[in-house]
Amino acid sequence: MISIKQFTFNPVRENTYILFDETGECAIIDPGMYDAGEQNEVVNFIKEHGLKPVLLLNTHCHYDHVFGNKFVYDQWGLKPQFHKGELYILQAIPGYVPQMGLHYELSPEPEVFLPESGKVSFGNSQLELIFAPGHSPAHLCFYAAADNFLIGGDVLFYTSIGRTDLPGGNHSQLINSIKNNLFILPDDCRVYPGHGPSTTIGFEKKHNPFLQ
Ligand SMILES: [Zn+2]
Ligand SMILES: [Zn+2]
């Protein structure tokens, strides 16, 4: 069974997740640590729980979701894994983040790119890949079928959806991704998004104003 630890980091309050199971192996998803204090929170959590990071995943490569990639690489030797279609989004960050007055430590690039469908694993646990472009060009969500939850990134939020005005964004593609690729999950599937509180597929089907 997978346990979930959620942190909320950096100036845009991005949710960073650590997933771990009974083996002690863990996956770090969308590390958004921006400063030493946030980096220490992650290190302390991993130490306190005796975890071994074996997987660094990015749902997509907007700056707020990859701020901590370099730190994770330095600490645990993990290179990020994400869909190849996000690479130019990652490579664009040094061109715009300084103008926002923010500091960015260059993320390593993947050795392994993730496909549109398939699975990744850590410990005894598996995560299914769900391709959900629209907010960004090759966004992936990670579905834990055995535990019925989704690490959703910036696709579906509590009563909202991801913005589509950034480079590579496409509103109708995002709506299609949600309706065709996420709304096929069980209604009681809990969604842990990249920003804000968690929700469920069933709740958003009923109440999300963008998807009626
Ligand atoms: Zn984003
Ligand atoms: Zn975000």
Side-chain angles (χ1 to χ4, degrees):
M1 183 179 159
I2 300 177
S3 302
I4 305 169
K5 171 64 179 177
Q6 176 185 327
F7 300 90
T8 302
F9 285 151
N10 73 51
V12 291
R13 300 187 57 72
E14 179 267 357
N15 294 330
T16 293
Y17 296 96
I18 296 180
L19 309 187
F20 56 103
D21 71 10
E22 56 282 352
T23 67
E25 289 194 354
C26 70
I28 301 173
I29 307 183
D30 287 355
M33 303 85 85
Y34 184 66
D35 59 25
E38 294 177 348
Q39 291 166 348
N40 286 340
E41 275 189 63
V42 169
V43 169
N44 290 341
F45 180 83
I46 284 172
K47 275 192 186 156
E48 277 165 19
H49 291 78
L51 302 180
K52 181 187 182 208
V54 296
L55 205 52
L56 168 57
L57 302 172
N58 296 118
T59 57
H60 66 300
C61 292
H62 288 149
Y63 68 101
D64 48 322
H65 296 253
V66 304
F67 265 140
N69 276 11
K70 171 74 160 60
F71 182 76
V72 170
Y73 177 68
D74 288 346
Q75 287 292 308
W76 297 291
L78 299 173
K79 291 191 176 175
Q81 298 185 21
F82 50 77
H83 190 282
K84 190 163 51 174
E86 290 289 322
L87 185 59
Y88 81 95
I89 302 292
L90 184 80
Q91 291 169 337
I93 296 174
Y96 68 85
V97 155
Q99 297 159 28
M100 301 169 76
L102 297 172
H103 168 74
Y104 169 64
E105 283 201 86
L106 206 60
S107 166
E109 294 188 0
E111 274 171 20
V112 175
F113 288 104
L114 299 176
E116 289 186 14
S117 64
K119 286 177 181 167
V120 291
S121 61
F122 62 94
N124 295 327
S125 304
Q126 293 194 318
L127 303 172
E128 293 177 17
L129 309 177
I130 297 179
F131 193 59
H135 167 73
S136 66
H139 192 297
L140 288 169
C141 302
F142 303 106
Y143 178 54
D147 297 291
N148 196 29
F149 69 83
L150 183 80
I151 303 297
D154 287 358
V155 175
L156 180 65
F157 298 129
Y158 173 75
T159 67
S160 188
I161 59 174
R163 57 191 286 189
T164 52
D165 57 335
L166 300 169
N170 181 313
H171 182 77
S172 60
Q173 191 182 40
L174 178 64
I175 298 293
N176 286 337
S177 287
I178 295 170
K179 289 189 170 170
N180 299 334
N181 302 346
L182 298 194
F183 278 4
I184 57 172
L185 298 173
D187 277 352
D188 61 354
C189 172
R190 184 149 290 278
V191 178
Y192 294 93
H195 302 271
S198 71
T199 183
T200 65
I201 293 292
F203 182 88
E204 298 307 319
K205 275 185 188 167
K206 274 204 191 109
H207 301 292
N208 193 307
F210 297 92
L211 297 159
Q212 299 308 309

